[in-house]
Amino acid sequence: MNKKFKISFLILICFTLMSCPAAHFYDYEYNGISKKENYGYSRILYSEKTDIIIKCGFFVTRIGRVKGLAAFIQFDNKLKNINKSDISINSSTYGALSFESELAKPTASDFDSDFTFKIPIESGSERKILKRIKNDTITIKIKGKVFEFIKKE
C-alpha cells in the first residue's frame, strides 16, 4: 500500500508541475477593426497592401515574479524602412513603454522582424495591478498612425 501511495503521489506532483503556466498574460483588445490571429495577436491593416500584427498586455512571470506591460509588433516585410525610432508606445496608467529588443525571424515568412516594448511594474500584487489597469489604454504611434488597445474587465 505504501508503494502505491508513493507512486500516485509522484504522478500527482508531476501533473501539477507540468500544468502550471510559466507566466500569465492578460491581453488588451484592439479598439478598431482587426482580424484575430493565434495567441491573441491582432492583424491590423496598416496601408492598402500591408498589415501589422500587434499584441499588447500585462504579464506576470512565475519565475522571478517579474510584472509589467508589453507590446509585441510584427511588420510585413514590405515595411522594412520602419525602425524603433519610428514607434512610440504609451500606457494611460503607467506611461511610456521602452524598447526591449528587435528579433530577426530565422525562417522565411511575410513577417520578418519583431519589436518588443516593455515597462516593468514594481509595486502591487497581480490582483491589485489588474484592478489598476482596468480601462487602461495603450496607444501605439507608428509614423503618424495611431493604434489603441484597451484593457477591458
Side-chain angles (χ1 to χ4, degrees), residues 14-61:
C14 289
F15 278 124
T16 303
L17 291 174
M18 296 301 240
S19 66
C20 293
H24 284 157
F25 194 87
Y26 300 94
D27 289 324
Y28 281 52
E29 294 179 23
Y30 178 61
N31 188 23
I33 300 171
S34 69
K35 179 183 173 189
K36 281 291 184 190
E37 294 286 318
N38 293 336
Y39 307 110
Y41 283 85
S42 298
R43 181 181 290 268
I44 302 165
L45 185 66
Y46 182 76
S47 65
E48 291 179 17
K49 297 180 182 179
T50 58
D51 293 338
I52 55 175
I53 296 178
I54 301 176
K55 181 176 184 173
C56 295
F58 166 65
F59 67 92
V60 178
T61 61

